[in-house]
Amino acid sequence: MSITKMLVAWLENYDSQQSLGSKLRAKRIAPLLDMIESIFNKHGSVNIIDIGGTESYWGIVPKQFLDDHHVTITIVNLPRLEVKPDHGHFKFVGADACALERFSDQSFHIAHSNSVVEHVGDWERMVQFAKETSRVSQAYFVQTPNYWFPVEPHFMAPFFHWLPKQSRIWLVSHFQLGNRSKAASMDEAERLVESVHLLDRKRFQELFKDAHVLTEWFFCLPKSFIALKKVNA
């Protein structure tokens, strides 16, 4: 098994609650659960928009917790992706994360986003993403990986993101990195490399000026950041 495959199995096997990735996520969302608890105590229910999320992600939260706190989660993804039928705690909507005009101001108690802002495009798109996240919600929880963490989390390759762009294109054209297949063409390689724009703490804080930025640590290294804005914070 290659090093990148070993890293994927260790870090990204979210189907197993015993994997390191699942344990890190469970620890990461503690502030989110506190936020849900606080809003439930005030309103008797909690309405969440999960921007760019998946239903499987919410498996880290016990279903009983969602039941007890009357949580509704609206999962928003690009219209070109398959929109599932609503069921249980979940609603599904096709929309651009940077253009959420179908939702009115503060129509959700909480906006949640996990490892999405680095995928929306250039800086202007990131600014628009941050504005829309803040606009549609009363509070938010936004996570992103740290540019200065040595292992690139999408390609699971040490130092990959610090290499020149042409070097990264060459690597994805010649090797399977993480759970991503080797690019079949130069166009695909270019798009793969351009699909991720990691942020450092300063740029992330600039996007979410009204939030408190928490740091997620891994072996004494800052692995990712969470922009946390609480109601009436």
Side-chain angles (χ1 to χ4, degrees), residues 117-184:
V117 64
E118 70 271 18
H119 294 290
V120 299
D122 61 14
W123 180 251
E124 280 303 314
R125 292 269 299 169
M126 290 183 182
V127 169
Q128 194 58 32
F129 173 92
K131 287 180 178 178
E132 286 292 82
T133 298
S134 181
R135 181 187 65 79
V136 302
S137 65
Q138 301 170 31
Y140 58 74
F141 176 105
V142 178
Q143 184 270 356
T144 195
N146 177 19
Y147 174 83
W148 292 111
F149 189 71
V151 178
E152 205 289 334
H154 305 91
F155 298 93
M156 286 296 168
F159 319 124
F160 175 84
H161 49 309
W162 298 342
L163 296 173
K165 180 180 177 181
Q166 290 304 317
S167 298
R168 286 177 279 149
I169 290 173
W170 185 88
L171 285 169
V172 300
S173 297
H174 290 80
F175 300 98
Q176 177 180 333
L177 298 178
N179 58 8
R180 295 173 184 258
S181 300
K182 181 173 66 173

Coordinates of all heavy atoms in Angstrom, one line a residue, residues 117-184:
V117 N -14.7 26.3 1.7 CA -14.3 27.6 1.2 C -13.1 27.6 0.3 O -13.0 28.4 -0.6 CB -14.1 28.6 2.4 CG1 -13.0 28.2 3.3 CG2 -13.9 30.0 1.9
E118 N -12.2 26.6 0.6 CA -11.0 26.5 -0.2 C -11.2 25.9 -1.6 O -10.3 25.9 -2.4 CB -9.9 25.6 0.5 CG -10.2 24.2 0.6 CD -11.0 23.8 1.8 OE1 -11.7 24.7 2.4 OE2 -11.1 22.6 2.1
H119 N -12.5 25.5 -1.9 CA -12.8 24.9 -3.2 C -13.7 25.9 -4.0 O -14.0 25.5 -5.2 CB -13.6 23.6 -3.0 CG -12.8 22.5 -2.3 ND1 -11.8 21.9 -3.0 CD2 -12.9 22.0 -1.1 CE1 -11.2 21.0 -2.2 NE2 -11.9 21.0 -1.0
V120 N -14.1 27.0 -3.5 CA -15.1 27.8 -4.3 C -14.5 28.6 -5.4 O -15.2 29.1 -6.3 CB -15.9 28.7 -3.4 CG1 -16.7 27.9 -2.3 CG2 -15.0 29.8 -2.7
G121 N -13.2 28.8 -5.4 CA -12.5 29.5 -6.5 C -11.5 30.6 -6.0 O -10.9 30.4 -4.9
D122 N -11.4 31.7 -6.7 CA -10.4 32.7 -6.4 C -10.8 33.5 -5.2 O -11.9 33.2 -4.6 CB -10.1 33.5 -7.6 CG -11.3 34.3 -8.1 OD1 -12.3 34.4 -7.4 OD2 -11.2 34.9 -9.2
W123 N -10.0 34.5 -4.8 CA -10.3 35.3 -3.6 C -11.6 36.0 -3.7 O -12.4 36.0 -2.7 CB -9.2 36.3 -3.5 CG -9.3 37.2 -2.3 CD1 -9.7 38.5 -2.2 CD2 -9.2 36.8 -0.9 NE1 -9.8 39.0 -0.9 CE2 -9.5 37.9 -0.1 CE3 -8.9 35.6 -0.3 CZ2 -9.4 37.9 1.3 CZ3 -8.8 35.6 1.1 CH2 -9.1 36.7 1.9
E124 N -12.0 36.5 -4.9 CA -13.3 37.2 -5.0 C -14.5 36.2 -4.6 O -15.5 36.6 -4.0 CB -13.5 37.8 -6.4 CG -12.8 39.1 -6.6 CD -13.3 40.1 -5.6 OE1 -14.5 40.3 -5.3 OE2 -12.4 40.8 -5.0
R125 N -14.4 35.0 -5.1 CA -15.4 34.0 -4.8 C -15.4 33.6 -3.3 O -16.4 33.4 -2.7 CB -15.1 32.7 -5.6 CG -15.3 32.8 -7.1 CD -16.7 32.5 -7.6 NE -17.1 31.1 -7.2 CZ -18.3 30.7 -7.3 NH1 -19.3 31.5 -7.7 NH2 -18.6 29.4 -7.0
M126 N -14.2 33.6 -2.7 CA -14.1 33.3 -1.3 C -14.8 34.4 -0.5 O -15.5 34.1 0.5 CB -12.7 33.1 -0.8 CG -12.0 31.9 -1.3 SD -10.3 31.8 -0.7 CE -9.7 30.3 -1.5
V127 N -14.6 35.6 -0.9 CA -15.2 36.8 -0.2 C -16.7 36.7 -0.3 O -17.4 36.9 0.7 CB -14.7 38.1 -0.8 CG1 -15.5 39.3 -0.3 CG2 -13.2 38.3 -0.5
Q128 N -17.2 36.4 -1.5 CA -18.6 36.2 -1.7 C -19.2 35.1 -0.9 O -20.3 35.2 -0.3 CB -19.0 36.1 -3.2 CG -20.4 36.3 -3.5 CD -21.0 37.6 -3.1 OE1 -20.2 38.6 -3.2 NE2 -22.2 37.7 -2.7
F129 N -18.5 34.0 -0.8 CA -18.9 32.8 0.0 C -19.0 33.3 1.5 O -20.0 32.9 2.1 CB -17.8 31.7 -0.1 CG -18.1 30.5 0.8 CD1 -18.8 29.4 0.4 CD2 -17.5 30.5 2.1 CE1 -19.0 28.4 1.3 CE2 -17.7 29.5 3.0 CZ -18.5 28.4 2.5
A130 N -18.0 34.0 2.0 CA -18.1 34.4 3.4 C -19.3 35.4 3.6 O -19.9 35.3 4.7 CB -16.8 35.1 3.8
K131 N -19.5 36.3 2.7 CA -20.6 37.2 2.8 C -21.9 36.5 2.9 O -22.8 36.8 3.7 CB -20.6 38.2 1.7 CG -19.5 39.3 1.8 CD -19.6 40.3 0.6 CE -18.5 41.3 0.7 NZ -18.5 42.3 -0.4
E132 N -22.1 35.5 2.0 CA -23.4 34.8 1.9 C -23.6 33.9 3.2 O -24.7 33.8 3.7 CB -23.4 34.0 0.7 CG -23.7 34.7 -0.6 CD -25.1 35.3 -0.6 OE1 -25.3 36.4 0.0 OE2 -26.0 34.8 -1.2
T133 N -22.5 33.3 3.6 CA -22.6 32.5 4.8 C -23.0 33.3 6.0 O -23.9 32.9 6.8 CB -21.2 31.9 5.2 OG1 -20.8 31.0 4.1 CG2 -21.2 31.1 6.5
S134 N -22.5 34.5 6.2 CA -22.8 35.4 7.3 C -24.3 36.0 7.1 O -25.0 36.1 8.0 CB -21.8 36.6 7.4 OG -22.1 37.4 8.4
R135 N -24.6 36.3 5.9 CA -25.9 36.9 5.6 C -27.1 36.0 5.9 O -28.1 36.4 6.5 CB -26.0 37.3 4.1 CG -27.3 38.0 3.8 CD -27.4 38.3 2.3 NE -27.5 37.1 1.5 CZ -28.6 36.3 1.3 NH1 -29.8 36.7 2.0 NH2 -28.6 35.2 0.6
V136 N -27.0 34.7 5.5 CA -28.2 33.8 5.7 C -28.3 33.3 7.1 O -29.3 32.6 7.3 CB -28.1 32.7 4.6 CG1 -28.1 33.2 3.2 CG2 -27.0 31.7 4.9
S137 N -27.4 33.5 8.0 CA -27.4 32.9 9.3 C -27.2 33.9 10.4 O -26.7 35.0 10.3 CB -26.2 31.8 9.4 OG -25.0 32.5 9.3
Q138 N -27.7 33.4 11.6 CA -27.5 34.2 12.8 C -26.2 33.9 13.5 O -25.6 34.7 14.2 CB -28.7 33.9 13.8 CG -30.0 34.3 13.2 CD -31.2 33.8 14.1 OE1 -31.0 33.7 15.3 NE2 -32.3 33.4 13.4
A139 N -25.7 32.7 13.2 CA -24.4 32.2 13.7 C -23.8 31.3 12.7 O -24.5 30.8 11.8 CB -24.6 31.5 15.1
Y140 N -22.5 31.0 12.8 CA -21.9 30.1 11.8 C -20.7 29.4 12.4 O -20.1 29.8 13.4 CB -21.6 30.8 10.5 CG -20.6 32.0 10.6 CD1 -19.2 31.8 10.8 CD2 -21.1 33.3 10.3 CE1 -18.4 32.9 10.8 CE2 -20.2 34.4 10.4 CZ -18.9 34.1 10.6 OH -18.0 35.2 10.6
F141 N -20.4 28.3 11.7 CA -19.3 27.4 12.1 C -18.7 27.0 10.7 O -19.3 26.2 10.0 CB -19.8 26.2 12.8 CG -18.8 25.1 13.2 CD1 -18.3 25.0 14.4 CD2 -18.3 24.2 12.2 CE1 -17.4 24.0 14.8 CE2 -17.3 23.3 12.5 CZ -16.9 23.1 13.8
V142 N -17.5 27.6 10.4 CA -16.9 27.3 9.1 C -15.4 26.8 9.3 O -14.6 27.5 10.0 CB -16.8 28.6 8.3 CG1 -16.1 28.3 6.9 CG2 -18.2 29.1 8.0
Q143 N -15.1 25.6 8.8 CA -13.8 25.0 9.0 C -13.1 25.0 7.6 O -13.7 24.9 6.6 CB -14.0 23.6 9.5 CG -12.7 22.9 9.8 CD -12.1 22.1 8.6 OE1 -12.8 22.0 7.6 NE2 -11.0 21.5 8.8
T144 N -11.7 25.2 7.7 CA -10.9 25.0 6.5 C -9.5 24.5 7.0 O -9.0 24.8 8.0 CB -10.8 26.4 5.8 OG1 -10.2 26.1 4.5 CG2 -9.8 27.3 6.5
P145 N -8.9 23.7 6.1 CA -7.5 23.3 6.4 C -6.5 24.4 6.4 O -6.7 25.4 5.7 CB -7.2 22.2 5.3 CG -8.5 21.9 4.7 CD -9.4 23.1 4.9
N146 N -5.4 24.3 7.1 CA -4.4 25.3 7.2 C -3.3 25.1 6.1 O -2.8 24.0 5.9 CB -3.7 25.2 8.6 CG -2.5 26.1 8.7 OD1 -2.4 27.1 8.0 ND2 -1.7 25.9 9.7
Y147 N -3.1 26.2 5.4 CA -2.1 26.1 4.3 C -0.7 25.7 4.8 O 0.0 25.0 4.1 CB -2.0 27.5 3.6 CG -0.8 27.6 2.6 CD1 -1.0 27.2 1.3 CD2 0.4 28.1 3.0 CE1 0.0 27.3 0.4 CE2 1.4 28.2 2.1 CZ 1.2 27.8 0.8 OH 2.2 27.9 -0.2
W148 N -0.4 26.0 6.0 CA 1.0 25.7 6.6 C 1.1 24.4 7.2 O 2.1 24.1 7.8 CB 1.4 26.8 7.5 CG 1.6 28.1 6.8 CD1 0.9 29.3 6.9 CD2 2.6 28.4 5.8 NE1 1.4 30.2 6.0 CE2 2.5 29.7 5.4 CE3 3.7 27.7 5.3 CZ2 3.3 30.3 4.4 CZ3 4.5 28.2 4.4 CH2 4.3 29.6 3.9
F149 N 0.0 23.6 7.2 CA 0.2 22.2 7.7 C 0.9 21.4 6.6 O 0.5 21.5 5.4 CB -1.2 21.6 8.0 CG -1.2 20.2 8.7 CD1 -0.8 20.2 10.0 CD2 -1.5 19.1 8.0 CE1 -0.7 18.9 10.6 CE2 -1.4 17.8 8.6 CZ -1.0 17.8 10.0
P150 N 1.9 20.6 7.0 CA 2.8 20.0 5.9 C 2.1 19.0 5.0 O 2.6 18.7 3.9 CB 3.9 19.4 6.8 CG 3.4 19.2 8.1 CD 2.4 20.3 8.3
V151 N 1.0 18.3 5.4 CA 0.4 17.3 4.6 C -0.9 18.0 3.9 O -1.8 18.4 4.6 CB -0.1 16.1 5.4 CG1 -0.8 15.1 4.5 CG2 1.1 15.4 6.0
E152 N -0.8 18.0 2.6 CA -2.0 18.5 1.9 C -3.2 17.6 2.0 O -3.1 16.4 1.7 CB -1.6 18.7 0.4 CG -2.4 19.7 -0.4 CD -3.9 19.3 -0.6 OE1 -4.2 18.1 -0.6 OE2 -4.7 20.2 -0.7
P153 N -4.3 18.0 2.6 CA -5.4 17.1 3.0 C -6.2 16.5 1.9 O -6.9 15.6 2.1 CB -6.2 18.0 3.9 CG -6.0 19.4 3.4 CD -4.6 19.4 2.9
H154 N -6.2 17.1 0.7 CA -7.0 16.6 -0.4 C -6.2 15.6 -1.3 O -6.8 14.6 -1.8 CB -7.4 17.8 -1.3 CG -8.1 18.9 -0.6 ND1 -7.5 19.9 0.0 CD2 -9.4 19.0 -0.2 CE1 -8.4 20.7 0.6 NE2 -9.6 20.2 0.5
F155 N -4.9 15.8 -1.4 CA -4.1 14.9 -2.2 C -3.3 14.0 -1.3 O -2.6 13.1 -1.8 CB -3.2 15.6 -3.2 CG -4.0 16.5 -4.2 CD1 -4.3 17.8 -3.9 CD2 -4.4 15.9 -5.3 CE1 -5.0 18.5 -4.8 CE2 -5.1 16.6 -6.3 CZ -5.4 18.0 -6.0
M156 N -3.3 14.2 0.0 CA -2.6 13.4 1.0 C -1.2 13.2 0.6 O -0.6 12.1 0.7 CB -3.3 12.0 1.1 CG -4.6 12.1 1.9 SD -4.3 12.6 3.6 CE -6.0 13.0 4.1
A157 N -0.5 14.3 0.3 CA 0.9 14.2 -0.1 C 1.6 15.3 0.7 O 1.3 16.5 0.6 CB 1.1 14.5 -1.6
P158 N 2.7 14.9 1.4 CA 3.5 15.9 2.1 C 4.0 17.0 1.2 O 4.6 16.7 0.2 CB 4.6 15.1 2.8 CG 4.0 13.7 2.8 CD 3.2 13.5 1.6
F159 N 3.9 18.2 1.6 CA 4.4 19.4 1.0 C 3.9 19.7 -0.4 O 4.4 20.6 -1.1 CB 6.0 19.3 0.9 CG 6.6 18.7 2.1 CD1 7.4 17.6 2.1 CD2 6.4 19.3 3.4 CE1 8.0 17.1 3.2 CE2 6.9 18.8 4.5 CZ 7.8 17.7 4.5
F160 N 2.9 18.9 -0.9 CA 2.4 19.0 -2.2 C 2.0 20.5 -2.5 O 2.3 21.0 -3.6 CB 1.2 18.1 -2.4 CG 0.5 18.2 -3.7 CD1 0.9 17.5 -4.8 CD2 -0.7 19.0 -3.8 CE1 0.3 17.6 -6.0 CE2 -1.4 19.1 -5.0 CZ -0.9 18.4 -6.1
H161 N 1.2 21.1 -1.6 CA 0.7 22.4 -1.9 C 1.7 23.5 -1.8 O 1.4 24.7 -2.2 CB -0.4 22.7 -0.8 CG -0.1 22.4 0.6 ND1 0.5 21.3 1.0 CD2 -0.1 23.2 1.7 CE1 0.7 21.3 2.3 NE2 0.4 22.5 2.7
W162 N 2.9 23.2 -1.4 CA 4.0 24.2 -1.4 C 4.8 24.2 -2.6 O 5.7 25.0 -2.8 CB 4.9 24.0 -0.1 CG 4.2 24.2 1.2 CD1 3.0 24.8 1.4 CD2 4.6 23.7 2.4 NE1 2.6 24.7 2.7 CE2 3.6 24.0 3.4 CE3 5.7 23.0 2.9 CZ2 3.7 23.7 4.8 CZ3 5.9 22.7 4.2 CH2 4.9 23.1 5.1
L163 N 4.6 23.2 -3.5 CA 5.3 23.1 -4.7 C 4.8 24.1 -5.8 O 3.7 24.5 -5.7 CB 5.2 21.7 -5.3 CG 5.8 20.6 -4.4 CD1 5.5 19.2 -5.0 CD2 7.3 20.7 -4.3
P164 N 5.7 24.4 -6.8 CA 5.2 25.3 -7.9 C 4.0 24.6 -8.6 O 3.9 23.4 -8.6 CB 6.4 25.4 -8.8 CG 7.6 25.1 -7.9 CD 7.1 24.1 -6.9
K165 N 3.1 25.4 -9.2 CA 1.9 24.9 -9.8 C 2.3 23.8 -10.9 O 1.6 22.8 -10.9 CB 1.1 26.0 -10.4 CG -0.2 25.5 -11.1 CD -0.9 26.7 -11.7 CE -2.1 26.2 -12.5 NZ -2.9 27.4 -13.1
Q166 N 3.3 24.1 -11.7 CA 3.6 23.1 -12.7 C 4.1 21.8 -12.2 O 3.8 20.7 -12.7 CB 4.7 23.7 -13.6 CG 4.3 24.9 -14.5 CD 3.1 24.5 -15.4 OE1 3.0 23.4 -16.0 NE2 2.1 25.4 -15.5
S167 N 4.7 21.8 -11.0 CA 5.1 20.6 -10.4 C 3.9 19.8 -9.9 O 3.9 18.6 -10.0 CB 6.1 20.9 -9.2 OG 7.3 21.5 -9.6
R168 N 2.9 20.5 -9.3 CA 1.7 19.8 -8.9 C 0.9 19.2 -10.0 O 0.4 18.1 -9.9 CB 0.9 20.8 -8.1 CG 1.4 21.2 -6.7 CD 0.6 22.2 -6.0 NE 0.9 23.5 -6.5 CZ 0.0 24.6 -6.5 NH1 -1.3 24.4 -6.2 NH2 0.4 25.8 -6.9
I169 N 0.9 20.0 -11.1 CA 0.2 19.4 -12.3 C 0.9 18.2 -12.8 O 0.3 17.2 -13.1 CB 0.2 20.5 -13.4 CG1 -0.8 21.6 -13.0 CG2 -0.2 19.9 -14.8 CD1 -0.8 22.8 -14.0
W170 N 2.2 18.2 -12.8 CA 3.0 17.0 -13.2 C 2.7 15.8 -12.3 O 2.5 14.7 -12.8 CB 4.5 17.3 -13.2 CG 5.3 16.1 -13.8 CD1 5.7 15.9 -15.1 CD2 5.9 15.1 -13.0 NE1 6.4 14.8 -15.2 CE2 6.6 14.2 -13.9 CE3 5.9 14.7 -11.7 CZ2 7.2 13.1 -13.5 CZ3 6.6 13.6 -11.3 CH2 7.2 12.8 -12.2
L171 N 2.7 16.0 -11.0 CA 2.4 14.9 -10.1 C 1.0 14.3 -10.2 O 0.9 13.1 -10.2 CB 2.6 15.5 -8.6 CG 4.0 15.7 -8.2 CD1 4.1 16.5 -6.8 CD2 4.8 14.4 -8.0
V172 N 0.0 15.2 -10.4 CA -1.3 14.6 -10.5 C -1.5 13.9 -11.9 O -2.4 13.1 -12.0 CB -2.4 15.6 -10.2 CG1 -2.3 16.2 -8.8 CG2 -2.5 16.7 -11.3
S173 N -0.7 14.3 -12.8 CA -0.7 13.6 -14.1 C -0.1 12.3 -14.2 O -0.4 11.5 -15.0 CB -0.1 14.5 -15.2 OG -0.7 15.8 -15.3
H174 N 0.8 12.0 -13.2 CA 1.6 10.8 -13.2 C 1.3 9.8 -12.0 O 1.7 8.7 -12.1 CB 3.1 11.1 -13.2 CG 3.6 11.7 -14.5 ND1 3.4 13.1 -14.8 CD2 4.2 11.2 -15.6 CE1 3.9 13.3 -16.0 NE2 4.4 12.2 -16.5
F175 N 0.6 10.3 -11.0 CA 0.4 9.5 -9.8 C -1.0 9.6 -9.3 O -1.6 10.7 -9.4 CB 1.4 9.9 -8.7 CG 2.9 9.8 -9.1 CD1 3.6 10.9 -9.5 CD2 3.5 8.5 -9.0 CE1 4.9 10.8 -9.8 CE2 4.8 8.4 -9.4 CZ 5.6 9.5 -9.8
Q176 N -1.5 8.6 -8.6 CA -2.7 8.6 -7.9 C -2.3 9.2 -6.5 O -1.5 8.5 -5.8 CB -3.3 7.3 -7.7 CG -4.6 7.3 -6.9 CD -5.2 5.9 -6.8 OE1 -5.1 5.1 -7.7 NE2 -5.9 5.7 -5.7
L177 N -2.9 10.3 -6.1 CA -2.6 10.9 -4.8 C -3.8 10.8 -3.9 O -4.9 11.3 -4.3 CB -2.1 12.3 -5.0 CG -0.8 12.5 -5.9 CD1 -0.5 14.0 -6.0 CD2 0.3 11.8 -5.2
G178 N -3.6 10.3 -2.7 CA -4.8 10.2 -1.9 C -5.8 9.3 -2.5 O -5.5 8.2 -3.0
N179 N -7.1 9.7 -2.4 CA -8.2 8.9 -3.1 C -8.6 9.5 -4.4 O -9.6 9.2 -5.0 CB -9.4 8.9 -2.2 CG -9.9 10.3 -1.8 OD1 -9.4 11.3 -2.4 ND2 -10.9 10.4 -0.9
R180 N -7.7 10.3 -5.0 CA -7.9 10.9 -6.3 C -7.1 10.1 -7.4 O -5.9 9.9 -7.3 CB -7.5 12.4 -6.4 CG -8.3 13.2 -5.5 CD -7.8 14.6 -5.4 NE -8.5 15.4 -4.4 CZ -9.5 16.3 -4.7 NH1 -9.7 16.5 -6.0 NH2 -10.1 17.0 -3.8
S181 N -7.8 9.7 -8.4 CA -7.2 8.9 -9.5 C -6.2 9.8 -10.3 O -6.3 11.1 -10.3 CB -8.2 8.4 -10.5 OG -9.1 7.5 -9.8
K182 N -5.2 9.2 -10.9 CA -4.3 10.0 -11.8 C -5.1 10.7 -12.9 O -6.0 10.1 -13.5 CB -3.3 9.0 -12.4 CG -2.3 9.7 -13.3 CD -1.2 8.7 -13.7 CE -1.8 7.6 -14.6 NZ -0.7 6.7 -15.2
A183 N -4.8 12.0 -13.1 CA -5.5 12.7 -14.1 C -5.3 12.1 -15.5 O -4.2 11.7 -15.9 CB -4.9 14.2 -14.1
A184 N -6.4 12.0 -16.2 CA -6.4 11.4 -17.5 C -6.0 12.3 -18.6 O -5.7 11.9 -19.7 CB -7.8 10.9 -17.8

